[in-house]
Amino acid sequence: MPKYQAEWDANLAKAYAAHLSPDELRSLAKEGRRSPFYSRLERQRPAIAEDMKAASGGLLQRLVSEALTGAAERP
């Protein structure tokens, strides 16, 4: 749902920034898998995922709740 996209994006940016430097992130954004930091990103993925889970759990609950409520209200 677009309503939550900005909050999701902010949480994602914070999670990545907590584990990778700005230079690493720039390199990854520009070079993708060819970046010399790609292997570091792969090693950090579990920690980034945990940060996202902690930061966005409430957001996901709100989104699902609204989606289910909306679906139940439809004829």
Side-chain angles (χ1 to χ4, degrees):
M1 295 180 118
K3 175 180 177 180
Y4 296 105
Q5 191 65 54
E7 187 177 350
W8 179 267
D9 291 346
N11 290 346
L12 192 59
K14 288 176 191 173
Y16 276 91
H19 298 279
L20 299 162
S21 73
D23 287 338
E24 290 169 329
L25 290 168
R26 274 190 288 278
S27 174
L28 288 160
K30 183 177 179 181
E31 301 174 55
R33 290 177 182 255
R34 293 181 313 248
S35 168
F37 303 109
Y38 187 77
S39 62
R40 176 163 163 68
L41 169 64
E42 288 297 307
R43 290 191 307 274
Q44 295 300 316
R45 281 196 197 273
I48 293 167
E50 282 299 314
D51 286 358
M52 275 302 286
K53 183 178 177 182
S56 299
L59 179 148
L60 291 173
Q61 286 177 347
R62 291 191 313 269
L63 186 144
V64 169
S65 177
E66 285 183 23
L68 291 173
T69 299
E73 292 173 351
R74 290 188 183 140

